[in-house]
Amino acid sequence: MPTTDGLPANTLSGPVHPSRAALLIHDMQNHFLAPFERDRSPLTELLTNIGRLRNLCHTVGIPVVYSTQPGGQSARERGLLREMWGNGIAGDGIGDRIVEDLTPRPGDICLTKYRYSAFFGTDLHEQLIRAGRDQLIICGIYAHIGCLATACDAFMRDIRPFMVSDAVADFDAEHHHTALCWAAKRCAVVESTATVLGALQAATDNVPPTEPEHSTRTAAEPTGEPNHSHGRDRPLNIEAVDSLHVATQRPH
């Protein structure tokens, strides 16, 4: 995992604020975590840091959103992803599960997606608007694929993305570093878990919550179960997302 000293300079400014932000936990499914060794870096830090972010967000009332890809997709549903990555997640009911450490809690939002960006073919943007949120904290895997595509997509929708440097992971350190550098230069604020947590806690302790300028709507009351939103209910028209595509034999 990168250290704070090694983070790239940001073009966009922060800080993240609890009354404006939502947390996206991106594709933390068994299938995508399979290449990582359970008790070794980067998985150990990844699970710990995402857990810390999620816990504080629940505590201070920040919406928590999960994105997942479904198992057993058809060739049509996979589209060009099939040519790039193969058949994807098996339809065995295991690979598509969110890792047990991060099981969604009641009131969390669960989105089903079919492409890199968590915005494509889902109602993520509408969910953020309804909740009065114009900032998105991004964590999960993989940094240079779905996380980066989502950050770029958020930027193009005027949702300020915060990519958490040590709460995302990738195939290797090079891909991880490339994703952080591109994000910081072109579409997102890149900060460490400690920095994001500190900013959220400080704002919660010292500043009365304020609504984003573009919306006065508030989030719906959470139910007793995670709120599932399925991307397959929306058309699969391809949108242009400026992302990095690296052909490598990894699960996706």
Side-chain angles (χ1 to χ4, degrees):
M1 283 292 185
T3 63
T4 303
D5 293 339
L7 295 185
N10 288 309
T11 302
L12 291 180
S13 61
V16 65
H17 196 282
S19 70
R20 300 176 62 182
L23 174 69
L24 174 66
I25 300 177
H26 184 277
D27 290 11
M28 288 295 289
Q29 297 167 268
N30 292 328
H31 173 81
F32 298 124
L33 294 175
F36 299 113
E37 295 186 47
R38 176 69 188 183
D39 297 320
R40 296 188 62 181
S41 182
L43 186 57
T44 50
E45 300 101 310
L46 180 67
L47 292 174
T48 296
N49 290 336
I50 293 177
R52 293 170 64 200
L53 290 165
R54 183 184 68 165
N55 290 344
L56 182 60
C57 287
H58 282 143
T59 298
V60 302
I62 294 173
V64 175
V65 183
Y66 288 81
S67 71
T68 63
Q69 295 186 37
Q73 294 178 45
S74 67
R76 179 181 178 276
E77 288 171 326
R78 288 291 283 168
L80 288 178
L81 288 179
R82 189 167 183 265
E83 185 176 333
M84 179 78 70
W85 304 104
N87 292 328
I89 304 174
D92 57 7
I94 298 174
D96 61 351
R97 292 179 189 168
I98 294 171
V99 63
E100 186 175 357
D101 308 60
L102 298 173
T103 300
R105 297 176 182 174
D108 291 345
I109 299 167
C110 298
L111 301 175
T112 300
K113 72 185 185 74
Y114 290 81
R115 294 296 184 267
Y116 290 165
S117 171
F119 286 96
F120 177 80
T122 76
D123 64 350
L124 175 56
H125 195 190
E126 291 81 359
Q127 295 264 13
L128 295 175
I129 291 173
R130 284 199 297 269
R133 306 286 159 158
D134 63 354
Q135 297 180 347
L136 186 63
I137 306 166
I138 299 171
C139 60
I141 54 175
Y142 288 105
H144 85 284
I145 308 176
C147 294
L148 185 57
T150 299
C152 189
D153 207 341
F155 173 84
M156 292 188 290
R157 298 166 189 263
D158 290 328
I159 302 293
R160 190 178 301 270
F162 291 80
M163 185 176 287
V164 189
S165 60
D166 52 357
V168 295
D170 217 313
F171 302 158
D172 51 43
E174 181 180 358
H175 284 103
H176 196 151
H177 180 71
T178 298
L180 298 183
C181 288
W182 199 92
K185 185 180 294 186
R186 294 288 178 255
C187 68
V189 181
V190 174
E191 299 287 6
S192 67
T193 299
T195 298
V196 172
L197 291 174
L200 292 174
Q201 191 64 65
T204 301
D205 293 342
N206 300 320
V207 180
T210 58
E211 289 291 337
E213 293 180 1
H214 71 272
S215 175
T216 58
R217 287 184 286 269
T218 57
E221 290 295 323
T223 64
E225 298 293 336
N227 177 15
H228 294 270
S229 177
H230 297 282
R232 70 176 59 191
D233 296 332
R234 298 169 64 88
L236 288 176
N237 295 329
I238 301 300
E239 297 177 346
V241 176
D242 184 13
S243 60
L244 300 178
H245 298 266
V246 178
T248 180
Q249 297 302 312
R250 299 282 183 161
H252 211 275

